[in-house]
Amino acid sequence: MTKPVVAILDRNLKAAQPALNKAQRIAAAAGAPLQVIVNAYSSAMVRAVGLDAERQQAAQQQISKAWHKRVAALLGEDAGEIRVLWEKDSMDGLRKAILALTPSLVVVHTSDDSALRRHLFTPRDWQLIRKAPCPVLCVHSREWNASPRILAALDPGTGEASDDR
């Protein structure tokens, strides 16, 4: 079975989700399944609901349902598995989900601010680049050409063969 392409979504439910669009294109071109991950944890919601576990559970289910509906609308007819996480420690939750999936590629939306900031990575980007068990593609909102060009950096020191020089 082909390893999946994973799209990590922005936490804003109404955002355009460029990582999803681009991961969808890559998965379709590679004939690979698409997995979608979003951490929907909201500390503001937890504070608003209070300590009542039943109310927290109901709010969490409502938010998860809204994410499933939103992602299904963005995907259209293309099927993809949607994982809505509820993790206070976002990076730990992402790490566990990615390790469980063993993907061929992780696609994540990075900063779209000024021209200078576009060339900087967020702390989440760096954590994914350093710890993901596969390549990580950081994308912007700008549309791709019909056949995109991807520049990849490789770490030759992590291969199977050892060099005794």
Side-chain angles (χ1 to χ4, degrees):
M1 185 170 128
T2 307
K3 290 183 174 186
V5 172
V6 171
I8 298 177
L9 302 188
D10 294 332
R11 293 175 77 150
N12 181 352
L13 182 65
K14 297 182 185 203
Q17 305 299 348
L20 178 62
N21 298 334
K22 292 171 180 170
Q24 193 175 17
R25 280 183 65 183
I26 292 169
L34 177 65
Q35 297 276 340
V36 181
I37 300 174
V38 62
N39 184 11
Y41 181 83
S42 169
S43 57
M45 188 282 306
V46 170
R47 284 191 305 274
V49 170
L51 298 176
D52 183 3
E54 196 170 296
R55 288 182 62 203
Q56 281 188 4
Q57 181 72 18
Q60 181 181 348
Q61 287 175 345
Q62 186 176 7
I63 289 171
S64 179
K65 189 175 184 178
W67 269 109
H68 279 276
K69 184 177 178 181
R70 170 75 171 139
V71 174
L74 289 171
L75 286 173
E77 294 181 15
D78 292 340
E81 186 176 326
I82 305 164
R83 290 180 181 227
V84 179
L85 307 178
W86 192 262
E87 298 284 340
K88 188 173 184 177
D89 183 349
S90 181
M91 278 313 304
D92 188 51
L94 283 176
R95 183 184 59 78
K96 289 175 184 173
I98 291 168
L99 288 174
L101 293 171
T102 62
S104 60
L105 177 70
V106 171
V107 182
V108 62
H109 178 227
T110 193
S111 175
D112 261 337
D113 298 355
S114 68
L116 176 61
R117 290 201 60 171
R118 260 197 307 263
H119 298 289
L120 302 174
F121 294 116
T122 66
R124 179 191 65 176
D125 298 340
W126 276 116
Q127 289 292 318
L128 289 170
I129 291 168
R130 288 178 57 229
K131 296 183 179 179
C134 63
V136 175
L137 178 62
C138 298
V139 299
H140 297 289
S141 297
R142 200 174 307 149
E143 285 296 316
W144 280 349
N145 296 330
S147 57
R149 293 186 179 114
I150 297 174
L151 174 66
L154 303 175
D155 183 1
T158 60
E160 294 286 323
S162 65
D163 188 5
D164 293 327
R165 288 189 259 176

